[in-house]
Amino acid sequence: MTPDRLGLLWGITVFAGAGARLLAALSGLQAVVLLLLSGLLIGRSGLGLVEPLDLGLGLETTVGLLVSLVLFDGGLNLRLPGDTIKATVLRISLARLVLSFGAAMLAAHWLAGLGWSLSAVYSAIVLSTGPTVVTPIVQQIRLASPLGDVLEAEGLVLEPIGAVLALLLLEQLLGDLYGWKGLAIGLLSRLGGGVLIGLAVGWLLSEVLRRLPPEHSVGLRLQITLGVLFLMFSICEWLLPESGLPASVAAGVVVGRRPSTQAAQLDELIRELASLAITMLFPLLAADVSWAELSPLGWGGISCVLVLMVLVRPVAVGVSTMGLPLNWRQRLFMGWLAPRGIVTAAVASLFAIRLEQAGVLGAGRLQGLVFLTILMTVGLQGLSAQPLAKALGLTQEDGDSSVQTAPEAGEVLLDSGQQ
């Protein structure tokens, strides 16, 4: 690919993303939906102006580094005040890891027509919700604490797990990994190794930031942070593929909690960079999807996604929150809001490329079903989140950070700091 055409590809992609952001700001619609639609417009499904595969090996590298930035930003802002909130996040994550994974695999096979191996890969890819989508929704609807914290933390916990599990299942499908024992060892080693590396690098980075004299600008702190983050991610991917994702989250968590690192000053800049990364990635990845991959799914694909939205998610939330001080309104809202985000799209696109190169039938259907899941969950849940939260009394008024509902008989509200 010539440098001129490469520059044109990025120029069109960023312009389309920026236009989608502007339209979202003017219309009040969810930006992620418009970003995906802009990608479909400029890509294979529309005008054919952008072909992500023209980036070659650079596509995987670019996507990986930008995703690491998004996850680092999520870890930097992760807040879990109170033992009850931590227990809620842990139990929801475990329930979805078991119940949602199995149910999604069955739905993908029986309803969408994917083979069992591809169904397992699909189930792992869509296992997690996307904090890059949840966070803007939570902020836009002014969701009262602590529901927003729980929903964001759930995605940050499950996204690395889902990505690593999907990669291992892909390797099993391609014959590079054998047996459930190898799958379990690979999952634990990559997740554990990534978290340990992330914790160590996060501590070192926080020490460097803490020891910098106050007169040094926040710009220098940002450059150091990005340099360390991208180097850590690259080393993790070289040693243990996909371990860079949990490492990025862990490093962000450590830096965000160490005193005197001026994390608050970094937060705004990193959040803006993460937003730019999303603006670039969503159109680029959506440009790789064609209607030829979406249309054959038909009502089977739509039914598969609807089952995940209206049956699997509510059941998993209901089971995991039994015995916790959540009222029915909070359970209902958590059972509905589960949009998929940028990591889901990135993993699907990269895996589809590997499957096509290996000559595996159904790679396009897998990618199409994943993007159908993103479009439906973000579109339906994103547009209905605000009316539902207001109807349930879960939004906060200006200047009020508490939940605006009184507990009914037998109900106890989840409190962010008093459990």
Side-chain angles (χ1 to χ4, degrees):
M1 186 177 186
T2 64
D4 290 342
R5 182 163 176 78
L6 181 62
L8 185 61
L9 181 150
W10 281 114
I12 294 173
T13 301
V14 176
F15 178 79
R21 290 280 190 183
L22 177 60
L23 182 58
L26 296 175
S27 65
L29 297 175
Q30 288 297 325
V32 177
V33 176
L34 297 177
L35 287 170
L36 287 173
L37 292 178
S38 70
L40 294 175
L41 176 64
I42 64 176
R44 296 180 186 176
S45 298
L47 302 176
L49 301 176
V50 171
E51 174 53 72
L53 293 181
D54 288 344
L55 293 173
L57 296 177
L59 175 63
E60 184 172 357
T61 302
T62 302
V63 170
L65 291 175
L66 293 179
V67 166
S68 72
L69 174 61
V70 172
L71 292 181
F72 179 82
D73 173 64
L76 194 67
N77 293 278
L78 180 64
R79 297 292 180 268
L80 293 176
D83 293 336
T84 302
I85 299 179
K86 296 174 184 176
T88 302
V89 173
L90 179 60
R91 288 175 58 170
I92 290 178
S93 300
L94 290 175
R96 295 197 63 232
L97 187 60
V98 177
L99 297 177
S100 298
F101 176 78
M105 182 170 63
L106 294 176
H109 178 71
W110 287 338
L111 297 176
L114 296 184
W116 283 113
S117 296
L118 284 178
S119 296
V121 175
Y122 164 79
S123 181
I125 292 175
V126 301
L127 182 64
S128 67
T129 56
T132 57
V133 183
V134 171
T135 299
I137 293 176
V138 168
Q139 293 174 347
Q140 182 174 339
I141 67 178
R142 297 182 58 80
L143 186 65
S145 179
L147 284 183
D149 296 328
V150 172
L151 290 167
E152 290 182 60
E154 174 197 351
L156 283 173
V157 170
L158 283 177
E159 260 189 334
I161 296 176
V164 173
L165 179 59
L167 175 67
L168 295 174
L169 290 170
L170 177 69
E171 291 181 350
Q172 235 181 15
L173 173 62
L174 298 177
D176 299 328
L177 186 70
Y178 300 98
W180 291 105
K181 183 178 180 181
L183 182 66
I185 293 175
L187 184 63
L188 292 175
S189 63
R190 298 186 196 202
L191 286 175
V195 169
L196 289 177
I197 293 174
L199 292 175
V201 172
W203 183 85
L204 290 173
L205 175 59
S206 64
E207 283 295 303
V208 172
L209 296 176
R210 187 173 66 86
R211 296 175 186 276
L212 276 178
E215 60 268 19
H216 287 293
S217 67
V218 68
L220 177 60
R221 296 175 184 274
L222 176 64
Q223 294 171 44
I224 294 173
T225 300
L226 293 180
V228 171
L229 172 64
F230 289 163
L231 178 62
M232 177 200 70
F233 179 82
S234 301
I235 292 176
C236 285
E237 293 299 296
W238 174 56
L239 294 174
L240 294 168
E242 297 299 329
S243 65
L245 300 182
S248 300
V249 176
V253 169
V254 173
V255 173
R257 276 148 190 73
R258 290 294 303 278
S260 304
T261 58
Q262 298 189 24
Q265 295 182 7
L266 279 174
D267 177 48
E268 185 176 353
L269 290 177
I270 290 180
R271 183 173 292 276
E272 288 298 323
L273 287 177
S275 178
L276 176 61
I278 295 169
T279 300
M280 296 169 61
L281 281 177
F282 261 123
L284 179 67
L285 297 175
D288 193 40
V289 179
S290 66
W291 293 118
E293 296 167 346
L294 291 175
S295 56
L297 296 171
W299 288 108
I302 294 174
S303 300
C304 173
V305 180
L306 287 176
V307 166
L308 299 187
M309 294 170 61
V310 303
L311 181 61
V312 177
R313 168 74 179 185
V315 168
V317 170
V319 170
S320 61
T321 56
M322 291 178 62
L324 292 177
L326 283 162
N327 62 37
W328 68 269
R329 296 184 183 89
Q330 293 167 316
R331 287 188 173 92
L332 177 61
F333 189 82
M334 292 175 61
W336 171 244
L337 190 64
R340 273 58 174 186
I342 189 65
V343 175
T344 303
V347 171
S349 296
L350 297 178
F351 284 12
I353 294 172
R354 290 189 58 180
L355 288 169
E356 289 175 355
Q357 291 173 343
V360 176
L361 296 178
R365 290 178 64 88
L366 170 65
Q367 187 179 15
L369 185 59
V370 171
F371 272 89
L372 181 64
T373 305
I374 296 171
L375 284 168
M376 289 183 62
T377 55
V378 172
L380 296 177
Q381 295 173 346
L383 294 176
S384 63
Q386 187 165 13
L388 179 61
K390 287 184 176 181
L392 296 175
L394 297 177
T395 58
Q396 61 185 21
E397 302 298 333
D398 291 340
D400 186 3
S401 62
S402 61
V403 179
Q404 299 298 315
T405 52
E408 297 179 357
E411 292 180 344
V412 182
L413 288 175
L414 178 61
D415 188 275
S416 61
Q418 299 178 357
Q419 299 298 327

